[in-house]
Amino acid sequence: MTSVLMHTCCAPCSLSCIDPLRAEGIVPVAFWYNPNIHPWKEYEARRDCLLNYAPTIGMRVIVEEDYGLREFVEHVAGDISHRCTYCYHHRLEETARYAAEHGYRYMLTIDSDGQHYASDIPKFVEEIAKTPDALLVGARNLRSDNMPGKNTFANKFSNFWFLSLIHI
């Protein structure tokens, strides 16, 4: 079985992909690193929910305990409209660093707010088998009836910045 380090911002956002990953022979290992979540009570509630739920489904959780709100605010205060870009970059960069330092070949991040489907996981597994060293980015379903309008706007906005950052 192949292990994958899965950046997790909360238990609910990662739930829909656990069983499909396992069905493909992949063992997800949750990685908690979220210095962007505030206030502290929200950070603590999300982390603790993940830590309490994971054992019930037999999932390992690695916690990179760094509340880091001060550093996060220092980086985004001068350009608040781009805070999401910094946030994604910073959290995924830390996940990639941890993965590399601890022998994980694969990492992923998944949101379950209606823009991704767990049923697409086999497509990713198939593509990884073809091109194991590629960076795979799933297309977001921005037309989903289940996704709130504010999420659609936020995702279009973050897609624009993501694409501009990687120059596609």
Side-chain angles (χ1 to χ4, degrees), residues 102-160:
H102 293 88
Y104 289 91
R105 180 160 185 194
Y106 304 106
M107 62 170 265
L108 67 89
T109 186
I110 290 184
D111 293 327
S112 297
D113 60 1
Q115 62 184 332
H116 304 286
Y117 298 110
S119 59
D120 288 336
I121 289 173
K123 296 174 191 172
F124 278 94
V125 172
E126 182 180 313
E127 195 58 37
I128 288 169
K130 290 183 208 170
T131 55
D133 295 321
L135 170 64
L136 301 178
V137 179
R140 294 173 167 186
N141 178 13
L142 299 178
R143 291 179 176 78
S144 172
D145 292 336
N146 299 328
M147 190 178 349
K150 65 180 179 144
N151 291 30
T152 301
F153 173 78
N155 291 332
K156 286 179 181 177
F157 185 78
S158 65
N159 278 353
F160 169 78

Side-chain angles (χ1 to χ4, degrees), residues 59-134:
M59 186 170 67
R60 181 174 171 224
V61 178
I62 298 166
V63 174
E64 188 79 9
E65 192 70 78
D66 178 12
Y67 182 50
L69 179 60
R70 180 177 301 279
E71 179 185 349
F72 175 74
V73 170
E74 287 172 356
H75 279 91
V76 301
D79 191 9
I80 199 73
S81 63
H82 297 120
R83 70 189 179 282
C84 292
T85 302
Y86 172 77
C87 178
Y88 284 120
H89 176 265
H90 183 66
R91 290 181 303 143
L92 294 180
E93 182 177 59
E94 180 62 19
T95 305
R97 183 200 62 76
Y98 187 94
E101 289 178 1
H102 293 88
Y104 289 91
R105 180 160 185 194
Y106 304 106
M107 62 170 265
L108 67 89
T109 186
I110 290 184
D111 293 327
S112 297
D113 60 1
Q115 62 184 332
H116 304 286
Y117 298 110
S119 59
D120 288 336
I121 289 173
K123 296 174 191 172
F124 278 94
V125 172
E126 182 180 313
E127 195 58 37
I128 288 169
K130 290 183 208 170
T131 55
D133 295 321

